Each structure stands twice: as structure tokens, then as C-alpha cells.
Amino acid sequence: TSNASAAQLIISRKNASDTTINYFEHSTDSVDFSNGPITVRLTAADKLTTRDYRVSVNVSTSDPDSLFWNRLSRKYIPSTLDMTKQKTVQLGGTTYCLTTDGSEFCLMTTTDIHSNKWNILPIAYTFTPNIYTFTATNDMFYVLDLDGNLYSSADAITWNECGEKWSHIYGGYEDSLLGVKKDGYDYFTVTYPATQSTKIDADFPVSGTSQLLTFATKWSDKPQAIMIGGKTSDGRKLSNTWAYDGDRWAKINAHSPIHGLTDMTLVPYYTFDTDTLTWNTSKFPTLLAMFGRNEGGLVERTVYISRDQGMHWKKGDQSLQLPEYIPSMDKAQAFVVTETMHSRSLGGWETMPNPTLPRWWTIEMPYQSRAITPITEWETPFIYLFGGEDDANHTTLFMWRGVINRLTFKPIN
């Protein structure tokens, strides 16, 4: 309004005449939008030209901080088999889904999970892989056979024996594979291809750990990898978070509300806090830990969160907990995939068409136009959840797509 000679707010009222407010004289007055849009009438500096703008307030019917799993976007896990087990990994922007019916194996890939268009890769194993150990580093695939022999592959099709025998694979750390092997009565953490072997202590997990996540931190020039839960060599189930910095492992969590669980799902995501005085919302990188099998052998579904990379955990708000239509399970894999949202996307703001500007606006003015190019698309991170086993150890057949609602809203510029 800096170049306007007058500004009026015309407010609709129920069963009464409209109310008109002189904005320049009453700029701090409250405005009632409950009866629909209001009209802002601006008069130009020439005191002749006027233009009306309609302003409305849209109120979302969903909780913006709710982690929403769209039941309608659920898809079957890709396979040509009557699937009994599955494991999904990612390498170089491609997702690889390995499934089995107990005797045959099927490997399908996609570069766009959302499109649900998968390609079949021709595989013919000369050994029987333990499908749950299927893992990728930055440049290679790895898997153990049923006897613990380690195999590697550059394309997930042709496999070569590595000459190593491990009991469990934790995951990939850059171009190295991290795992554990048993030698006599003792267990050792190991790496491949560079050999690094360290005897573990009694509280370190030897099986049943979550996905291994790797991320950069401001405290180190090396990436840090973390995992949660698992089972010790004497059968105890853990709630601890363990981190690896490229040289050694360390337990990093303080007291945790999480009790002992195996095969949890760990997801790097976001949560939000809103200041109730200023109504500013802050976005925080957050780890989500969910699912897992407890000491009683039952699978769970509580979602826990950590905002300090696994050092402290708490139960997530109710808005982050899983809906009842997603089953409790363990051994599920989760990946965060960024997708492009458009201004007409479900849950977003709609862009009003740009009016034709009057000719005088295009003439050189003493002030630059403050017009901003409208946002028509933006990036939104979605969680894709694959497989998992229920209480009876039956593999679930679906992949789910989840997102915190406010991440789908169109940004305001």
C-alpha cells in the first residue's frame, strides 16, 4: 500500500450491511473472516484508479503436524512370486527389491518409487542367499548365504564369494561393509573390503539391528553411522543406539523410553515446533524409530523420536503414531524419497491467476515492483515403508507412503 492514496477493507457481516474500515487509520484492527472473503480496495496515487482484491483464509481440515499414511496410496511390493520374504535396498538413486517364495528369487528395480514402475533383473544364484542380509554400500551389493559366507556384486545380478564368513551384516558405511563374525566363543566387529576386526563387549548387538543410517555431522569431518536395538550374544534384546565414525563403535544414547527390541525401522525425517506466542514454526531434523519385536516375541508399533541423532529418545506425539490400518511388524525397511509437489497438489495452496497489470505499472517508476514470482512447485520428502513381518512371521505384502501434512503445503512467498 506504500503507493496507494487510500485503502479500504470491506468486510461481510451476517444479516447486516458490510463494514468498511479505513486501513490507513485503523491498521491494527482485527478482521473477521468467518463470513467469507473480504475485499481490499486500493486507490492509486492518482486518486482515480481503484482495484479490488479478494482475500480469504483457508483452514486445513487435517493436523499439519500429523504423519499421514494415505491408505489409498498403498501398493503391493513388486514381485513375480508368491512372496514369503523381501528385502529392499537403495544404491545410486535406484531402489532394488529382492523377494522370494522360499525357493526362487525375484529382483525388481525402479528409479521412481512413486511411479510404481519396476523392471525385472535376471538373477540366478549359485548359492542360497539369506534375503534379510541383502545390503548396499556406495558402490557394491552384499549378501550372506545360509552358512554365513559373504558374497559381493557390482550389479546385484552376478555374485562373487569374498572369502569371509560373517554372522550378521549391520549395513554400508560409504564404500565399506560393516558386520560381525564369530570366532570360537567370541564375536568381533568386522569391515570389508578393508579388514578391521575388534572384539565386542557383552552389550554390543550381534543380530537383529535396525537399518544402518549414515549422515554428516558438524562435529566431525567423517560421516557417522547409527543403528538401534538388536540382540546380544547371550540373547538379551537392546534399546541402545550405537554409532560408528569410520574407526570405532560407541554406545551414544542416554536413558531411553525404548525397551529391548529387535529389527526396528529407523528413518531420518523431520518434526516441527510452533511458538504459540509468535506462531512461527521451526523445522528440526529428526530420527523416527518404530516397530520391532519385544522380549515376548510380539511386534510393536510405537513411534519414538530423537532430535540429537540418537543420543536421546522420547515417545512421539500422538500425531506421529501409526494408524490402526498399518499392521505391527518388524524387519521393515524405510526410505525417504524427495518428490516434486505442484500448486494443485492435494493438501497444497492453490495459486490465484495473475491479473493483467495496468499499463502505468510497466512504466518506469521511482520504486521497483515488489512482485514475486509465484511458487508453482516445491520439494517434499515422503517416507516409503517396505514389507516387514507380523506376529506370526508372515511378510506383509505392501509398501506404504507417508508424509507429515505440512510438508505438502505450498510454501508462502
Side-chain angles (χ1 to χ4, degrees):
T1 60
S2 59
N3 293 319
S5 61
Q8 295 175 311
L9 308 184
I10 303 170
I11 303 171
S12 300
R13 298 170 58 198
K14 283 186 178 180
N15 303 319
S17 301
D18 294 346
T19 296
T20 300
I21 297 175
N22 184 323
Y23 177 71
F24 290 155
E25 295 179 358
H26 305 283
S27 62
T28 60
D29 278 12
S30 297
V31 179
D32 182 4
F33 286 89
S34 63
N35 294 321
I38 69 165
T39 299
V40 178
R41 178 166 296 163
L42 299 183
T43 304
D46 63 7
K47 299 185 179 181
L48 298 174
T49 306
T50 63
R51 180 173 293 278
D52 287 352
Y53 299 87
R54 191 180 72 165
V55 181
S56 59
V57 173
N58 297 321
V59 181
S60 175
T61 57
S62 61
D63 177 359
D65 294 317
S66 176
L67 179 54
F68 175 60
W69 300 87
N70 190 341
R71 199 169 189 172
L72 298 179
S73 66
R74 180 186 71 176
K75 307 292 184 183
Y76 282 100
I77 289 176
S79 182
T80 59
L81 306 173
D82 186 10
M83 182 185 66
T84 58
K85 295 180 181 178
Q86 74 84 36
K87 179 69 182 293
T88 302
V89 302
Q90 289 185 327
L91 189 154
T94 300
T95 302
Y96 296 77
C97 183
L98 179 63
T99 58
T100 182
D101 61 1
S103 58
E104 296 183 19
F105 293 85
C106 171
L107 181 63
M108 303 188 74
T109 70
T110 184
T111 56
D112 181 6
I113 299 178
H114 178 58
S115 70
N116 204 34
K117 296 178 180 178
W118 296 80
N119 301 309
I120 300 176
L121 293 186
I123 54 172
Y125 291 109
T126 58
F127 60 95
T128 302
N130 177 350
I131 194 169
Y132 290 126
T133 66
F134 181 45
T135 308
T137 61
N138 286 356
D139 57 358
M140 294 288 284
F141 298 93
Y142 293 92
V143 73
L144 300 178
D145 67 13
L146 297 182
D147 294 320
N149 296 300
L150 180 65
Y151 290 79
S152 66
S153 173
D155 56 10
I157 300 173
T158 303
W159 293 85
N160 301 301
E161 192 167 358
C162 300
E164 295 282 341
K165 191 167 185 176
W166 291 9
S167 58
H168 179 63
I169 291 176
Y170 298 124
Y173 177 85
E174 296 187 311
D175 57 359
S176 294
L177 185 69
L178 308 181
V180 62
K181 71 177 182 179
K182 188 176 182 181
D183 187 357
Y185 294 101
D186 297 319
Y187 285 87
F188 296 80
T189 58
V190 285
T191 62
Y192 186 87
T195 302
Q196 186 182 64
S197 179
T198 305
K199 184 178 177 179
I200 68 171
D201 62 35
D203 290 329
F204 196 81
V206 299
S207 64
T209 51
S210 72
Q211 290 171 275
L212 186 72
L213 300 181
T214 303
F215 49 84
T217 76
K218 61 183 179 182
W219 302 288
S220 173
D221 58 355
K222 294 181 179 180
Q224 178 172 293
I226 70 166
M227 61 187 183
I228 189 171
K231 184 187 293 185
T232 62
S233 59
D234 60 4
R236 290 178 292 117
K237 293 192 174 183
L238 304 171
S239 62
N240 304 124
T241 305
W242 288 86
Y244 180 78
D245 65 358
D247 294 311
R248 62 193 179 96
W249 288 95
K251 183 169 62 177
I252 63 171
N253 67 293
H255 173 72
S256 171
I258 306 174
H259 52 271
L261 294 168
T262 56
D263 298 301
M264 297 181 71
T265 302
L266 195 58
V267 192
Y269 207 53
Y270 304 95
T271 53
F272 297 83
D273 278 347
T274 300
D275 186 321
T276 56
L277 293 178
T278 64
W279 297 107
N280 290 326
T281 299
S282 300
K283 179 181 178 182
F284 296 93
T286 304
L287 291 177
L288 308 182
M290 62 186 79
F291 301 127
R293 194 171 297 264
N294 61 29
E295 290 284 2
L298 300 178
V299 289
E300 299 195 2
R301 58 190 297 104
T302 302
V303 177
Y304 300 92
I305 68 170
S306 172
R307 286 181 173 173
D308 55 10
Q309 297 168 329
M311 290 186 286
H312 296 85
W313 293 92
K314 68 176 183 178
K315 183 178 178 181
D317 294 340
Q318 186 57 40
S319 61
L320 296 177
Q321 300 303 314
L322 296 163
E324 61 180 11
Y325 49 81
I326 292 185
S328 303
M329 52 187 158
D330 69 347
K331 297 185 178 69
Q333 304 92 55
F335 305 95
V336 177
V337 178
T338 299
E339 299 175 13
T340 300
M341 301 286 290
H342 300 276
S343 57
R344 298 290 175 175
S345 300
L346 179 64
W349 294 85
E350 293 189 355
T351 302
M352 296 296 294
N354 290 328
T356 302
L357 295 176
R359 184 178 181 278
W360 57 264
W361 187 267
T362 64
I363 300 174
E364 289 189 11
M365 301 288 288
Y367 304 101
Q368 291 293 322
S369 166
R370 296 184 305 278
I372 299 173
T373 302
I375 295 174
T376 57
E377 60 183 38
W378 63 100
E379 302 301 307
T380 297
F382 285 85
I383 301 172
Y384 281 88
L385 184 66
F386 284 79
E389 293 186 358
D390 61 19
D391 278 329
N393 298 112
H394 295 146
T395 297
T396 60
L397 303 179
F398 303 106
M399 58 179 179
W400 299 84
R401 181 174 182 256
V403 66
I404 288 183
N405 283 324
R406 73 165 67 246
L407 291 171
T408 69
F409 298 163
K410 178 186 171 183
I412 299 175
N413 61 343

